[in-house]
Amino acid sequence: MLRHEFQPGRLVGGLFLIAAGVVYGGDARGLWQTPWFVGGPLVVGGLCLAGAVAVLHRAVRRTGRRAGHGEPHPPHAEGTG
């Protein structure tokens, strides 16, 4: 059983941020030369792609629930604490 819901948008965003860290980390260690303008498009493009994936994932889940193929919502723990 999964502890939390799979969120592919966060996965894509995280991968692009890790890629930006690897690119600049390699530049800092002297393994390669990275132009100064690479980070912006890499991070912003990754975040835009992550948003698009999240919207697509939500749309697919909504159509699945309408067709009766979705999993029920877990009960909320309101009023406990």
Side-chain angles (χ1 to χ4, degrees), residues 11-72:
L11 175 67
V12 171
L15 288 176
F16 271 88
L17 291 175
I18 288 171
V22 168
V23 166
Y24 279 112
D27 185 35
R29 293 197 43 111
L31 300 175
W32 55 75
Q33 293 290 325
T34 304
W36 62 269
F37 53 83
V38 171
L42 186 62
V43 171
V44 172
L47 291 176
C48 289
L49 184 62
V53 168
V55 168
L56 180 64
H57 180 251
R58 181 173 178 165
V60 168
R61 284 185 52 106
R62 279 187 157 192
T63 57
R65 282 204 177 131
R66 285 186 194 152
H69 300 293
E71 58 194 34

